[in-house]
Amino acid sequence: MFFVTPAYAEEAPAAATGTDAHAAPAAGEVHTETGVAGGEHARGPFPPFDSTTFASQLLWLVITFTVFYLLMQKVIAPRIGAILDQRHTRISQDLEEAGRLKAEADAAVQTYEGELAAARAKSNAIGSAARDAAKAKAEEDRRAVEASLSEKIKAAELRIGEIKAKAFADVGTIAEETAAAVVDQLIGGTVAKADVAAAVAAAKKEA
């Protein structure tokens, strides 16, 4: 930082000298607008390199650095640290939650697979039992039907035998009556039943 102190000179009134107020200034007179004597620019070292201002520059540097350091230490760094801690805590919580959900999902998958395997085994057992029961029931029904048919066949055979025996008995009686009627028609007389029965019996033997 530097300071420039311009030197001011009194300007002679134009009315006292009788000269023009806009006349060129005399040699050695200082312009009030620029503060430079004789119309020439002041020459000197570049202000940051001016040894006469080193002390003030160092003072302001120390003050600025101290303020910036305190600002960083008291305000910016704590806020950044709090934000980072919050992010770290949030990430840790998210990771823990993700791990917990993954463990629950794995446990659910294992439970589902176990239940599915048990259900498949149970269905296979039920299917096998149903097939065995159906086979046993079909075999039992078949045997019952065969037994019923065998009994019916035996009953039918007995009935047929009875019918045949009765038919044969009726045939003998019918033959005797027919023979008696034929003899009566042919010779106009009657024949003893014993003779007719003997003749029918002889005819059956010959047949």
Side-chain angles (χ1 to χ4, degrees):
M1 300 178 65
F2 61 92
F3 302 91
V4 178
T5 305
Y8 294 93
E10 295 182 356
E11 182 178 3
T17 57
T19 59
D20 190 0
H22 298 284
E29 189 176 358
V30 179
H31 289 281
T32 58
E33 292 83 357
T34 60
V36 180
E40 296 180 356
H41 294 286
R43 294 181 179 180
F46 187 60
F49 301 138
D50 189 0
S51 60
T52 58
T53 60
F54 280 174
S56 62
Q57 292 182 28
L58 290 175
L59 177 62
W60 283 108
L61 178 62
V62 171
I63 292 172
T64 304
F65 180 78
T66 303
V67 171
F68 182 73
Y69 178 77
L70 292 176
L71 183 65
M72 286 288 296
Q73 186 179 11
K74 301 296 184 182
V75 180
I76 299 176
R79 289 186 179 181
I80 295 175
I83 292 173
L84 292 178
D85 292 339
Q86 185 179 3
R87 292 288 181 87
H88 180 70
T89 303
R90 182 64 179 274
I91 292 172
S92 298
Q93 292 177 353
D94 292 341
L95 291 176
E96 291 178 358
E97 183 69 14
R100 185 181 64 82
L101 293 176
K102 184 178 183 300
E104 291 180 357
D106 293 339
V109 169
Q110 291 179 357
T111 303
Y112 171 75
E113 290 179 352
E115 292 179 353
L116 182 61
R120 288 177 178 174
K122 187 175 181 180
S123 64
N124 291 332
I126 292 173
S128 299
R131 286 193 298 270
D132 295 340
K135 288 181 180 179
K137 179 66 176 174
E139 185 66 20
E140 183 179 357
D141 293 341
R142 185 183 64 81
R143 291 178 181 177
V145 170
E146 289 180 353
S148 177
L149 291 175
S150 178
E151 291 178 358
K152 288 181 179 180
I153 290 171
K154 289 180 180 180
E157 290 178 350
L158 291 176
R159 181 64 178 169
I160 292 170
E162 292 176 355
I163 292 172
K164 287 174 67 176
K166 186 177 180 181
F168 286 146
D170 292 341
V171 167
T173 303
I174 293 170
E176 290 176 359
E177 292 177 353
T178 304
V182 169
V183 170
D184 183 52
Q185 291 292 332
L186 291 176
I187 63 175
T190 60
V191 182
K193 291 183 177 180
D195 295 335
V196 174
V200 170
K204 286 182 178 178
K205 289 181 181 179
E206 292 179 358

